[in-house]
Amino acid sequence: MSAWPSALAIVIGVLAVVLLQQAPPDRPERPYVRNLNALLFEGLWDHWTTNSTGDLDVIYELAGSEALVGRTCLVTGASRGLGYWIAARLASLGCNVVVAARSGSDELALNITNDAATLSPSVAEKGLVRAVKMDLGDLHSVGSALDTLRGQHVVLDVAILNAGVAPSSGWKTPHGLEAALGINCIGNAYLMEQLLERGLIPNAPKHADFPRLVVVSSESHRTVAPLNLTTLAEFEDYGMAEGMLFYGRSKLCLNTFWSEFVRRSKTRLAVHGLCPGPVATSIASDAPAHLQPLIDVFMSSFQPSLKAATPVIALAASSRYNGDTGVYQHMSHRVPVRADAADPAKGSALYDKVQSIIQQALSQKS
């Protein structure tokens, strides 16, 4: 990438982040913001100072040990971007992959299979890829997808919860929830619990290295005000200037939930989370058309999805994490989640609130 596009991307990025941190004057409580610029450039620096495929030591480890051969993994949000390449990399390492997406087509499974065959390092016995339709914004859709998998006698060794949205304006899920909250937090919370409840993730022996569950989150959870549980489920409209704040709120909710999920878990399920860093994806695809060229230039400085998939797969399968649970990373670096996301009292209160939201959503007709 030449110097001028890189410089332009940085300028656009700084301006975008600064604008996204500004709250309208009638909402003074919103700018509880850490320096998102620092998070952005930390990720860009890591990307620019490593090779184009990332730290492949873990991939060679998994290829050499064949640790994933014959195992089964669920990857959500796998129709494109990060989820797609996580699924392809896993299949190249011999893992049987269930890709969950709103499309959930046989064509998607075939495309991932074909791309998996091009990746190196890999193993001789490639994994099988199948697709299932799942919309995390609709809890009835989540339940239906899991029933389909249970009917196929699927038992998971790994679940990677990658699906998420970054809306540029306020819109509602089928349950009337603000989309970022409803998909990124509530949908993922329901999926986590139902994977165990419906037996898709088994109750493993005490010292087993699997099963594992990996939650793809974001460092934007550090940039927003503490959660207000009283108004959490209330829909509030917003525009582009506040989109990142609602996205960050949803990720704070998600990190708080899975941290409490770890504390409450009575099984030998290892649960980890991470922010993959800045990734060149289409997560902002609903932004206005006239801004897409600028977003494309901005995204061109980010790491490709295949590179960003490496630390996700490390958490999902590497022996480096044997015996661990509750690990959170920014890219490949272990860091703690934000203090209030790790607080047991706040976690317990949020967990109960999420359960209430889920029950109310499920009471609605599909």
Side-chain angles (χ1 to χ4, degrees):
M1 185 174 180
S2 65
W4 275 110
S6 296
L8 180 58
I10 292 172
V11 171
I12 294 170
V14 172
L15 290 174
V17 169
V18 169
L19 287 172
L20 288 169
Q21 293 184 76
Q22 304 309 307
D26 60 332
R27 290 181 183 150
E29 79 282 2
R30 291 246 182 248
Y32 180 87
V33 179
R34 188 173 177 261
N35 191 344
L36 188 55
N37 294 336
L39 300 176
L40 173 66
F41 286 114
E42 179 184 346
L44 289 174
W45 179 257
D46 279 2
H47 166 44
W48 290 337
T49 54
T50 57
N51 63 51
S52 60
T53 52
D55 176 12
L56 286 181
D57 287 350
V58 67
I59 305 300
Y60 281 104
E61 170 208 327
L62 293 171
S65 67
E66 298 191 343
L68 282 167
V69 173
R71 295 197 179 274
T72 302
C73 178
L74 171 71
V75 182
T76 67
S79 62
R80 57 191 178 185
L82 180 59
Y84 182 99
W85 288 104
I86 290 171
R89 178 65 86 183
L90 287 168
S92 77
L93 294 170
C95 188
N96 299 315
V97 184
V98 179
V99 292
R102 282 178 292 181
S103 59
S105 65
D106 291 340
E107 181 182 6
L108 171 62
L110 178 61
N111 289 340
I112 291 173
T113 299
N114 290 338
D115 280 323
T118 69
L119 298 180
S120 178
S122 62
V123 299
E125 183 182 346
K126 302 295 188 295
L128 301 175
V129 182
R130 73 180 86 175
V132 64
K133 290 185 178 181
M134 181 187 294
D135 179 359
L136 278 180
D138 181 351
L139 301 190
H140 298 294
S141 168
V142 175
S144 177
L146 297 184
D147 285 343
T148 296
L149 296 179
R150 186 167 60 174
Q152 296 171 348
H153 307 292
V154 170
V155 177
L156 299 173
D157 299 289
V158 176
I160 298 176
L161 309 191
N162 165 74
V165 295
S168 61
S169 61
W171 54 275
K172 297 180 181 180
T173 69
H175 302 299
L177 298 169
E178 184 275 317
L181 179 77
I183 294 170
N184 299 347
C185 180
I186 304 302
N188 276 310
Y190 183 63
L191 177 56
M192 276 184 235
E193 294 190 323
Q194 291 303 303
L195 286 171
L196 291 171
E197 182 72 22
R198 303 185 191 215
L200 289 161
I201 291 180
N203 188 353
K206 185 175 181 181
H207 298 294
D209 298 329
F210 294 92
R212 297 186 193 182
L213 188 151
V214 179
V215 181
V216 178
S217 188
S218 170
E219 282 290 87
S220 66
H221 83 282
R222 303 187 194 278
T223 68
V224 294
L227 296 171
N228 183 341
L229 300 188
T230 303
T231 61
L232 187 65
E234 296 177 5
F235 178 77
E236 183 179 353
D237 199 6
Y238 56 89
M240 282 200 67
E242 291 189 282
M244 182 60 81
L245 296 175
F246 279 85
Y247 177 75
R249 182 185 73 153
S250 73
K251 294 300 188 177
L252 175 58
C253 182
L254 177 61
N255 283 350
T256 306
F257 183 89
W258 75 257
S259 296
E260 179 65 13
F261 185 81
V262 170
R263 288 189 288 267
R264 295 191 182 207
S265 178
K266 295 181 173 63
T267 70
R268 182 58 188 91
L269 168 66
V271 183
H272 305 303
L274 87 162
C275 167
V279 185
T281 71
S282 56
I283 193 170
S285 60
D286 72 334
H290 67 277
L291 291 180
Q292 286 298 335
L294 293 178
I295 292 172
D296 290 344
V297 172
F298 188 31
M299 288 289 184
S300 69
S301 66
F302 289 0
Q303 60 181 327
S305 295
L306 181 59
K307 179 178 179 179
T310 302
V312 181
I313 291 169
L315 282 172
S318 173
S319 60
R320 303 174 188 180
Y321 301 93
N322 286 357
D324 283 343
T325 191
V327 172
Y328 179 75
Q329 293 185 176
H330 179 215
M331 303 173 77
S332 296
H333 310 294
R334 292 197 188 199
V335 293
V337 295
R338 186 171 128 173
D340 53 348
D343 181 87
K346 288 182 170 60
S348 181
L350 183 277
Y351 192 96
D352 292 342
K353 179 65 176 180
V354 168
Q355 297 306 315
S356 174
I357 295 171
I358 288 173
Q359 291 308 311
Q360 184 174 356
L362 291 173
S363 69
Q364 301 167 357
K365 293 182 179 180
S366 59

